[in-house]
Amino acid sequence: MNILVTGGAGYIGSHACVALLEAGHDVVIADNLSNSRRETIDKIREITKKDIIFYEIDVKDTNKVEQLFNNHNFDGIIHFAGFKAVGESVNKPLEYYYNNIVSTIVLSKACIKYKVNKFIFSSSATVYGDNEVPFVETMDLMPATNPYGQTKAMSEKILMDAAKAHPDFSVSILRYFNPVGAHESGLIGEFPKGIPNNLMPYITQVAKGKLNKLQVFGNDYPTIDGTGVRDYIHVMDLAEGHLVALEKLRPGVHVYNLGTGQGTSVLQLLNTFMEVNDIDIAYEIVARRPGDIPISYADVSKAKKELAWTAKRGLKEMVRDAWNFEKNL
Ligand code: NAD
Ligand code: UDP
């Protein structure tokens, strides 16, 4: 298939491009590099030894998107492009709603106009909010009360309504849990701007000496050791999840959790990182981070049953590959 990957220069998108190219698909990337680097495109070529076409465009720009659809005969699109920092979304709500919602509308309109009938969307476990774990796809959504979470819930709804009105337009909504790690080559990975908000890049930057010590946000949650529990998933497993979601997409709208189904606490992740990589990480326990939920992990039975997909890589690979990428930067 010939696949348009928006946000393909970013963290998850670049790994998905590798998975697509290695499975024999052709890839066209559209990315405005607002949160990524041009070099990543060359790294994808280096890993896969395949060519990709890259357009540096904003996918909110209807004219540029239409030009793109005129230039290529796409079989499907994977839409990763978007802003993703929860804290920043509280301070810049309009930028978040504008970027994340308008891009989804412009791209889905183009798909319907040009009869590109496969649409894969990057959603997030944040749409489950405070539901009981494990999170199941059939639950009512309670997106976290931040603009980022709202943009994901709204984009899901927009795509569902579009698919209802256009029965040929098939949509797969993928709700990611906590993607971590990097491609095993160490050539592509996560490049957070400024001080990382997320746990794994924070740990790797302390390991590298870029940051002094990790702050663990709260140790009084009702969890195994009091620290927050999340479902960490290796980014290559996540990337492969997109491949099967695309290849097995049937008519209609389908929602899948992409996680491992395993919860891991902050201290468990930190200890695994220190053991596997043989590095000491300084840390201190501080107050809870406002807005955090205690526990998040996925029920992964739907993706297993319908897509025959499960995550294959464990925590050890996640911490090894995350460090392998950071240390080679
Ligand atoms: P990322 O920031 O690394 O990648 C997003 C890419 O989209 C970047 O390369 C950026 O330059 C590009 N982009 C943003 N707005 C654009 C626009 N209007 N036009 C063209 N390009 C644009 O983020 P990521 O971690 O790879 O996340 C990819 C998607 O997955 C996002 O939609 C994000 O919300 C979602 N997601 C991420 C996580 C996570 O923890 N990383 C979890 C759940 C969902
Ligand atoms: N966390 C932490 N210190 C950090 C960053 C995160 O203790 O510097 C904790 C956070 O409270 C949560 C877990 O690590 O329990 C994962 O946080 P992250 O921001 O990576 O993901 P999310 O909260 O979006 O699931």
Side-chain angles (χ1 to χ4, degrees), residues 100-140:
N100 292 4
I101 304 289
V102 173
S103 61
T104 302
I105 295 174
V106 167
L107 291 163
S108 45
K109 280 182 83 171
C111 282
I112 288 160
K113 180 166 171 187
Y114 290 84
K115 302 195 174 11
V116 176
N117 287 329
K118 295 180 199 297
F119 195 110
I120 312 285
F121 178 66
S122 298
S123 189
S124 163
T126 188
V127 298
Y128 291 112
D130 246 345
N131 270 292
E132 293 258 303
V133 284
F135 297 150
V136 189
E137 290 88 344
T138 47
M139 284 174 163
D140 285 340

mmCIF file of all heavy atoms in Angstrom, residues 100-140:
data_model
loop_
_atom_site.group_PDB
_atom_site.id
_atom_site.type_symbol
_atom_site.label_atom_id
_atom_site.label_comp_id
_atom_site.label_asym_id
_atom_site.label_seq_id
_atom_site.Cartn_x
_atom_site.Cartn_y
_atom_site.Cartn_z
ATOM 1 N N ASN A 100 -4.856 20.306 16.645
ATOM 2 C CA ASN A 100 -5.238 18.896 16.690
ATOM 3 C C ASN A 100 -6.592 18.624 16.048
ATOM 4 O O ASN A 100 -6.785 17.579 15.429
ATOM 5 C CB ASN A 100 -5.227 18.388 18.143
ATOM 6 C CG ASN A 100 -3.808 18.342 18.719
ATOM 7 O OD1 ASN A 100 -2.858 18.755 18.069
ATOM 8 N ND2 ASN A 100 -3.666 17.839 19.927
ATOM 9 N N ILE A 101 -7.499 19.563 16.161
ATOM 10 C CA ILE A 101 -8.836 19.322 15.600
ATOM 11 C C ILE A 101 -8.858 19.666 14.106
ATOM 12 O O ILE A 101 -9.345 18.889 13.292
ATOM 13 C CB ILE A 101 -9.915 20.168 16.333
ATOM 14 C CG1 ILE A 101 -9.896 19.881 17.834
ATOM 15 C CG2 ILE A 101 -11.286 19.950 15.732
ATOM 16 C CD1 ILE A 101 -10.394 18.546 18.256
ATOM 17 N N VAL A 102 -8.297 20.827 13.753
ATOM 18 C CA VAL A 102 -8.370 21.240 12.345
ATOM 19 C C VAL A 102 -7.602 20.253 11.463
ATOM 20 O O VAL A 102 -8.049 19.880 10.376
ATOM 21 C CB VAL A 102 -7.876 22.699 12.166
ATOM 22 C CG1 VAL A 102 -7.788 23.065 10.696
ATOM 23 C CG2 VAL A 102 -8.814 23.653 12.899
ATOM 24 N N SER A 103 -6.457 19.765 11.936
ATOM 25 C CA SER A 103 -5.702 18.806 11.112
ATOM 26 C C SER A 103 -6.540 17.554 10.852
ATOM 27 O O SER A 103 -6.572 17.039 9.725
ATOM 28 C CB SER A 103 -4.371 18.449 11.782
ATOM 29 O OG SER A 103 -4.579 17.837 13.036
ATOM 30 N N THR A 104 -7.251 17.092 11.855
ATOM 31 C CA THR A 104 -8.075 15.882 11.674
ATOM 32 C C THR A 104 -9.205 16.148 10.674
ATOM 33 O O THR A 104 -9.510 15.301 9.825
ATOM 34 C CB THR A 104 -8.647 15.424 13.045
ATOM 35 O OG1 THR A 104 -7.551 15.194 13.925
ATOM 36 C CG2 THR A 104 -9.474 14.165 12.918
ATOM 37 N N ILE A 105 -9.789 17.337 10.739
ATOM 38 C CA ILE A 105 -10.888 17.653 9.816
ATOM 39 C C ILE A 105 -10.364 17.794 8.381
ATOM 40 O O ILE A 105 -10.915 17.220 7.439
ATOM 41 C CB ILE A 105 -11.628 18.942 10.258
ATOM 42 C CG1 ILE A 105 -12.313 18.702 11.611
ATOM 43 C CG2 ILE A 105 -12.653 19.374 9.204
ATOM 44 C CD1 ILE A 105 -12.963 19.936 12.224
ATOM 45 N N VAL A 106 -9.283 18.545 8.216
ATOM 46 C CA VAL A 106 -8.742 18.764 6.862
ATOM 47 C C VAL A 106 -8.365 17.412 6.228
ATOM 48 O O VAL A 106 -8.701 17.134 5.070
ATOM 49 C CB VAL A 106 -7.508 19.706 6.920
ATOM 50 C CG1 VAL A 106 -6.742 19.706 5.612
ATOM 51 C CG2 VAL A 106 -7.951 21.122 7.286
ATOM 52 N N LEU A 107 -7.719 16.561 6.995
ATOM 53 C CA LEU A 107 -7.261 15.281 6.435
ATOM 54 C C LEU A 107 -8.430 14.338 6.159
ATOM 55 O O LEU A 107 -8.457 13.656 5.131
ATOM 56 C CB LEU A 107 -6.259 14.621 7.387
ATOM 57 C CG LEU A 107 -4.913 15.356 7.477
ATOM 58 C CD1 LEU A 107 -4.145 14.918 8.723
ATOM 59 C CD2 LEU A 107 -4.065 15.127 6.225
ATOM 60 N N SER A 108 -9.412 14.308 7.040
ATOM 61 C CA SER A 108 -10.520 13.382 6.771
ATOM 62 C C SER A 108 -11.364 13.880 5.598
ATOM 63 O O SER A 108 -11.841 13.082 4.789
ATOM 64 C CB SER A 108 -11.343 13.067 8.016
ATOM 65 O OG SER A 108 -11.617 14.223 8.731
ATOM 66 N N LYS A 109 -11.483 15.207 5.463
ATOM 67 C CA LYS A 109 -12.206 15.725 4.279
ATOM 68 C C LYS A 109 -11.481 15.338 2.996
ATOM 69 O O LYS A 109 -12.094 14.931 2.005
ATOM 70 C CB LYS A 109 -12.326 17.260 4.359
ATOM 71 C CG LYS A 109 -13.450 17.708 5.283
ATOM 72 C CD LYS A 109 -13.581 19.211 5.313
ATOM 73 C CE LYS A 109 -14.391 19.728 4.139
ATOM 74 N NZ LYS A 109 -14.693 21.171 4.314
ATOM 75 N N ALA A 110 -10.149 15.483 3.025
ATOM 76 C CA ALA A 110 -9.376 15.127 1.823
ATOM 77 C C ALA A 110 -9.526 13.635 1.527
ATOM 78 O O ALA A 110 -9.685 13.233 0.364
ATOM 79 C CB ALA A 110 -7.902 15.497 2.019
ATOM 80 N N CYS A 111 -9.506 12.816 2.557
ATOM 81 C CA CYS A 111 -9.649 11.365 2.342
ATOM 82 C C CYS A 111 -10.985 11.059 1.669
ATOM 83 O O CYS A 111 -11.053 10.262 0.729
ATOM 84 C CB CYS A 111 -9.579 10.614 3.678
ATOM 85 S SG CYS A 111 -7.905 10.437 4.281
ATOM 86 N N ILE A 112 -12.032 11.703 2.155
ATOM 87 C CA ILE A 112 -13.359 11.412 1.586
ATOM 88 C C ILE A 112 -13.426 11.915 0.140
ATOM 89 O O ILE A 112 -13.865 11.209 -0.757
ATOM 90 C CB ILE A 112 -14.455 11.994 2.502
ATOM 91 C CG1 ILE A 112 -14.503 11.118 3.776
ATOM 92 C CG2 ILE A 112 -15.805 12.041 1.807
ATOM 93 C CD1 ILE A 112 -15.131 11.745 4.975
ATOM 94 N N LYS A 113 -12.884 13.122 -0.090
ATOM 95 C CA LYS A 113 -12.904 13.685 -1.449
ATOM 96 C C LYS A 113 -12.103 12.818 -2.434
ATOM 97 O O LYS A 113 -12.534 12.598 -3.559
ATOM 98 C CB LYS A 113 -12.328 15.101 -1.400
ATOM 99 C CG LYS A 113 -12.293 15.796 -2.738
ATOM 100 C CD LYS A 113 -12.051 17.291 -2.570
ATOM 101 C CE LYS A 113 -11.803 17.936 -3.919
ATOM 102 N NZ LYS A 113 -11.412 19.343 -3.767
ATOM 103 N N TYR A 114 -10.949 12.337 -1.992
ATOM 104 C CA TYR A 114 -10.059 11.583 -2.901
ATOM 105 C C TYR A 114 -10.232 10.068 -2.758
ATOM 106 O O TYR A 114 -9.416 9.305 -3.242
ATOM 107 C CB TYR A 114 -8.601 11.990 -2.675
ATOM 108 C CG TYR A 114 -8.327 13.394 -3.159
ATOM 109 C CD1 TYR A 114 -8.599 14.490 -2.353
ATOM 110 C CD2 TYR A 114 -7.823 13.609 -4.441
ATOM 111 C CE1 TYR A 114 -8.372 15.784 -2.796
ATOM 112 C CE2 TYR A 114 -7.587 14.903 -4.900
ATOM 113 C CZ TYR A 114 -7.871 15.989 -4.072
ATOM 114 O OH TYR A 114 -7.648 17.267 -4.530
ATOM 115 N N LYS A 115 -11.273 9.666 -2.027
ATOM 116 C CA LYS A 115 -11.578 8.233 -1.859
ATOM 117 C C LYS A 115 -10.406 7.422 -1.288
ATOM 118 O O LYS A 115 -10.065 6.344 -1.778
ATOM 119 C CB LYS A 115 -12.069 7.609 -3.176
ATOM 120 C CG LYS A 115 -13.306 8.302 -3.721
ATOM 121 C CD LYS A 115 -13.986 7.495 -4.779
ATOM 122 C CE LYS A 115 -15.311 8.051 -5.269
ATOM 123 N NZ LYS A 115 -15.698 9.396 -4.882
ATOM 124 N N VAL A 116 -9.796 8.004 -0.286
ATOM 125 C CA VAL A 116 -8.754 7.278 0.466
ATOM 126 C C VAL A 116 -9.474 6.734 1.702
ATOM 127 O O VAL A 116 -9.858 7.493 2.595
ATOM 128 C CB VAL A 116 -7.590 8.219 0.852
ATOM 129 C CG1 VAL A 116 -6.560 7.497 1.709
ATOM 130 C CG2 VAL A 116 -6.951 8.787 -0.412
ATOM 131 N N ASN A 117 -9.696 5.436 1.692
ATOM 132 C CA ASN A 117 -10.694 4.904 2.623
ATOM 133 C C ASN A 117 -10.164 4.297 3.915
ATOM 134 O O ASN A 117 -10.929 3.731 4.675
ATOM 135 C CB ASN A 117 -11.566 3.877 1.895
ATOM 136 C CG ASN A 117 -12.505 4.579 0.935
ATOM 137 O OD1 ASN A 117 -12.918 5.707 1.194
ATOM 138 N ND2 ASN A 117 -12.805 3.943 -0.180
ATOM 139 N N LYS A 118 -8.871 4.396 4.126
ATOM 140 C CA LYS A 118 -8.338 3.828 5.374
ATOM 141 C C LYS A 118 -7.696 4.948 6.193
ATOM 142 O O LYS A 118 -6.755 5.596 5.717
ATOM 143 C CB LYS A 118 -7.269 2.767 5.066
ATOM 144 C CG LYS A 118 -7.794 1.531 4.351
ATOM 145 C CD LYS A 118 -6.632 0.569 4.115
ATOM 146 C CE LYS A 118 -6.903 -0.453 3.051
ATOM 147 N NZ LYS A 118 -7.969 -1.365 3.320
ATOM 148 N N PHE A 119 -8.181 5.141 7.390
ATOM 149 C CA PHE A 119 -7.685 6.231 8.235
ATOM 150 C C PHE A 119 -7.355 5.667 9.613
ATOM 151 O O PHE A 119 -8.228 5.120 10.287
ATOM 152 C CB PHE A 119 -8.774 7.312 8.354
ATOM 153 C CG PHE A 119 -8.294 8.648 8.881
ATOM 154 C CD1 PHE A 119 -8.226 9.753 8.036
ATOM 155 C CD2 PHE A 119 -7.938 8.812 10.213
ATOM 156 C CE1 PHE A 119 -7.803 11.002 8.507
ATOM 157 C CE2 PHE A 119 -7.509 10.054 10.687
ATOM 158 C CZ PHE A 119 -7.442 11.145 9.838
ATOM 159 N N ILE A 120 -6.085 5.798 10.009
ATOM 160 C CA ILE A 120 -5.662 5.320 11.335
ATOM 161 C C ILE A 120 -5.348 6.563 12.166
ATOM 162 O O ILE A 120 -4.588 7.436 11.726
ATOM 163 C CB ILE A 120 -4.381 4.459 11.241
ATOM 164 C CG1 ILE A 120 -4.489 3.394 10.143
ATOM 165 C CG2 ILE A 120 -4.029 3.856 12.595
ATOM 166 C CD1 ILE A 120 -5.331 2.229 10.438
ATOM 167 N N PHE A 121 -5.907 6.636 13.351
ATOM 168 C CA PHE A 121 -5.751 7.849 14.171
ATOM 169 C C PHE A 121 -5.053 7.553 15.500
ATOM 170 O O PHE A 121 -5.387 6.591 16.193
ATOM 171 C CB PHE A 121 -7.125 8.481 14.436
ATOM 172 C CG PHE A 121 -7.032 9.692 15.316
ATOM 173 C CD1 PHE A 121 -6.374 10.833 14.867
ATOM 174 C CD2 PHE A 121 -7.570 9.688 16.594
ATOM 175 C CE1 PHE A 121 -6.244 11.954 15.689
ATOM 176 C CE2 PHE A 121 -7.451 10.807 17.418
ATOM 177 C CZ PHE A 121 -6.784 11.939 16.959
ATOM 178 N N SER A 122 -4.120 8.438 15.863
ATOM 179 C CA SER A 122 -3.393 8.363 17.139
ATOM 180 C C SER A 122 -4.225 8.945 18.251
ATOM 181 O O SER A 122 -4.283 10.166 18.412
ATOM 182 C CB SER A 122 -2.152 9.262 17.099
ATOM 183 O OG SER A 122 -1.248 8.897 16.140
ATOM 184 N N SER A 123 -4.853 8.087 19.040
ATOM 185 C CA SER A 123 -5.530 8.608 20.224
ATOM 186 C C SER A 123 -4.715 8.207 21.450
ATOM 187 O O SER A 123 -3.568 7.756 21.325
ATOM 188 C CB SER A 123 -6.977 8.128 20.290
ATOM 189 O OG SER A 123 -7.652 8.822 21.327
ATOM 190 N N SER A 124 -5.297 8.380 22.609
ATOM 191 C CA SER A 124 -4.502 8.227 23.825
ATOM 192 C C SER A 124 -5.341 7.649 24.947
ATOM 193 O O SER A 124 -6.555 7.900 25.030
ATOM 194 C CB SER A 124 -3.999 9.619 24.229
ATOM 195 O OG SER A 124 -3.568 9.608 25.557
ATOM 196 N N ALA A 125 -4.684 6.935 25.853
ATOM 197 C CA ALA A 125 -5.355 6.403 27.043
ATOM 198 C C ALA A 125 -5.909 7.524 27.910
ATOM 199 O O ALA A 125 -6.739 7.270 28.782
ATOM 200 C CB ALA A 125 -4.370 5.570 27.852
ATOM 201 N N THR A 126 -5.464 8.752 27.652
ATOM 202 C CA THR A 126 -5.967 9.880 28.443
ATOM 203 C C THR A 126 -7.490 10.023 28.310
ATOM 204 O O THR A 126 -8.143 10.561 29.198
ATOM 205 C CB THR A 126 -5.245 11.198 28.058
ATOM 206 O OG1 THR A 126 -5.632 12.207 28.973
ATOM 207 C CG2 THR A 126 -5.572 11.671 26.670
ATOM 208 N N VAL A 127 -8.066 9.493 27.217
ATOM 209 C CA VAL A 127 -9.524 9.622 27.046
ATOM 210 C C VAL A 127 -10.298 8.805 28.089
ATOM 211 O O VAL A 127 -11.488 9.044 28.303
ATOM 212 C CB VAL A 127 -10.014 9.226 25.620
ATOM 213 C CG1 VAL A 127 -9.407 10.127 24.568
ATOM 214 C CG2 VAL A 127 -9.738 7.763 25.315
ATOM 215 N N TYR A 128 -9.638 7.862 28.763
ATOM 216 C CA TYR A 128 -10.332 7.072 29.792
ATOM 217 C C TYR A 128 -10.417 7.805 31.126
ATOM 218 O O TYR A 128 -11.197 7.396 31.994
ATOM 219 C CB TYR A 128 -9.611 5.732 30.017
ATOM 220 C CG TYR A 128 -9.728 4.785 28.854
ATOM 221 C CD1 TYR A 128 -8.623 4.444 28.083
ATOM 222 C CD2 TYR A 128 -10.956 4.227 28.525
ATOM 223 C CE1 TYR A 128 -8.730 3.576 27.017
ATOM 224 C CE2 TYR A 128 -11.072 3.362 27.444
ATOM 225 C CZ TYR A 128 -9.956 3.040 26.700
ATOM 226 O OH TYR A 128 -10.072 2.184 25.647
ATOM 227 N N GLY A 129 -9.582 8.840 31.292
ATOM 228 C CA GLY A 129 -9.618 9.608 32.533
ATOM 229 C C GLY A 129 -9.551 8.710 33.744
ATOM 230 O O GLY A 129 -8.667 7.865 33.862
ATOM 231 N N ASP A 130 -10.537 8.868 34.607
ATOM 232 C CA ASP A 130 -10.549 8.218 35.912
ATOM 233 C C ASP A 130 -11.325 6.915 35.966
ATOM 234 O O ASP A 130 -11.696 6.477 37.049
ATOM 235 C CB ASP A 130 -11.222 9.199 36.892
ATOM 236 C CG ASP A 130 -10.234 9.665 37.923
ATOM 237 O OD1 ASP A 130 -9.194 9.018 38.028
ATOM 238 O OD2 ASP A 130 -10.538 10.668 38.616
ATOM 239 N N ASN A 131 -11.590 6.292 34.810
ATOM 240 C CA ASN A 131 -12.317 5.016 34.823
ATOM 241 C C ASN A 131 -11.556 3.989 35.656
ATOM 242 O O ASN A 131 -10.386 4.158 35.977
ATOM 243 C CB ASN A 131 -12.435 4.486 33.386
ATOM 244 C CG ASN A 131 -13.677 4.964 32.664
ATOM 245 O OD1 ASN A 131 -14.788 4.591 33.010
ATOM 246 N ND2 ASN A 131 -13.485 5.820 31.659
ATOM 247 N N GLU A 132 -12.239 2.882 35.978
ATOM 248 C CA GLU A 132 -11.587 1.771 36.693
ATOM 249 C C GLU A 132 -10.637 1.046 35.744
ATOM 250 O O GLU A 132 -10.981 0.849 34.575
ATOM 251 C CB GLU A 132 -12.647 0.734 37.079
ATOM 252 C CG GLU A 132 -13.644 1.194 38.098
ATOM 253 C CD GLU A 132 -13.309 0.638 39.467
ATOM 254 O OE1 GLU A 132 -13.214 -0.589 39.594
ATOM 255 O OE2 GLU A 132 -13.120 1.470 40.384
ATOM 256 N N VAL A 133 -9.483 0.624 36.265
ATOM 257 C CA VAL A 133 -8.590 -0.186 35.428
ATOM 258 C C VAL A 133 -8.997 -1.650 35.505
ATOM 259 O O VAL A 133 -9.563 -2.058 36.521
ATOM 260 C CB VAL A 133 -7.112 -0.052 35.868
ATOM 261 C CG1 VAL A 133 -6.543 1.249 35.424
ATOM 262 C CG2 VAL A 133 -6.932 -0.286 37.353
ATOM 263 N N PRO A 134 -8.681 -2.455 34.480
ATOM 264 C CA PRO A 134 -8.085 -2.045 33.217
ATOM 265 C C PRO A 134 -9.084 -1.305 32.328
ATOM 266 O O PRO A 134 -10.274 -1.554 32.383
ATOM 267 C CB PRO A 134 -7.684 -3.386 32.583
ATOM 268 C CG PRO A 134 -8.661 -4.379 33.127
ATOM 269 C CD PRO A 134 -8.967 -3.920 34.518
ATOM 270 N N PHE A 135 -8.533 -0.399 31.519
ATOM 271 C CA PHE A 135 -9.373 0.380 30.624
ATOM 272 C C PHE A 135 -9.785 -0.476 29.417
ATOM 273 O O PHE A 135 -8.942 -1.090 28.769
ATOM 274 C CB PHE A 135 -8.613 1.625 30.126
ATOM 275 C CG PHE A 135 -8.236 2.584 31.229
ATOM 276 C CD1 PHE A 135 -7.087 3.371 31.110
ATOM 277 C CD2 PHE A 135 -9.009 2.742 32.373
ATOM 278 C CE1 PHE A 135 -6.724 4.278 32.106
ATOM 279 C CE2 PHE A 135 -8.664 3.651 33.381
ATOM 280 C CZ PHE A 135 -7.513 4.412 33.243
ATOM 281 N N VAL A 136 -11.087 -0.473 29.154
ATOM 282 C CA VAL A 136 -11.629 -1.274 28.047
ATOM 283 C C VAL A 136 -12.239 -0.311 27.028
ATOM 284 O O VAL A 136 -12.811 0.723 27.400
ATOM 285 C CB VAL A 136 -12.751 -2.225 28.558
ATOM 286 C CG1 VAL A 136 -13.153 -3.214 27.479
ATOM 287 C CG2 VAL A 136 -12.323 -2.958 29.804
ATOM 288 N N GLU A 137 -12.153 -0.676 25.761
ATOM 289 C CA GLU A 137 -12.588 0.218 24.670
ATOM 290 C C GLU A 137 -14.055 0.620 24.787
ATOM 291 O O GLU A 137 -14.466 1.664 24.277
ATOM 292 C CB GLU A 137 -12.360 -0.455 23.311
ATOM 293 C CG GLU A 137 -10.894 -0.597 22.912
ATOM 294 C CD GLU A 137 -10.252 -1.888 23.413
ATOM 295 O OE1 GLU A 137 -10.811 -2.541 24.312
ATOM 296 O OE2 GLU A 137 -9.170 -2.250 22.884
ATOM 297 N N THR A 138 -14.880 -0.210 25.445
ATOM 298 C CA THR A 138 -16.319 0.077 25.517
ATOM 299 C C THR A 138 -16.672 1.084 26.614
ATOM 300 O O THR A 138 -17.825 1.495 26.719
ATOM 301 C CB THR A 138 -17.072 -1.241 25.820
ATOM 302 O OG1 THR A 138 -16.381 -1.889 26.899
ATOM 303 C CG2 THR A 138 -17.108 -2.151 24.609
ATOM 304 N N MET A 139 -15.704 1.487 27.419
ATOM 305 C CA MET A 139 -16.012 2.413 28.524
ATOM 306 C C MET A 139 -16.434 3.783 28.008
ATOM 307 O O MET A 139 -15.971 4.228 26.952
ATOM 308 C CB MET A 139 -14.761 2.616 29.396
ATOM 309 C CG MET A 139 -14.491 1.450 30.301
ATOM 310 S SD MET A 139 -12.900 1.682 31.154
ATOM 311 C CE MET A 139 -13.118 0.485 32.469
ATOM 312 N N ASP A 140 -17.274 4.458 28.800
ATOM 313 C CA ASP A 140 -17.573 5.854 28.480
ATOM 314 C C ASP A 140 -16.292 6.666 28.654
ATOM 315 O O ASP A 140 -15.520 6.402 29.582
ATOM 316 C CB ASP A 140 -18.618 6.406 29.457
ATOM 317 C CG ASP A 140 -20.000 5.875 29.122
ATOM 318 O OD1 ASP A 140 -20.194 5.432 27.973
ATOM 319 O OD2 ASP A 140 -20.854 5.879 30.027
#
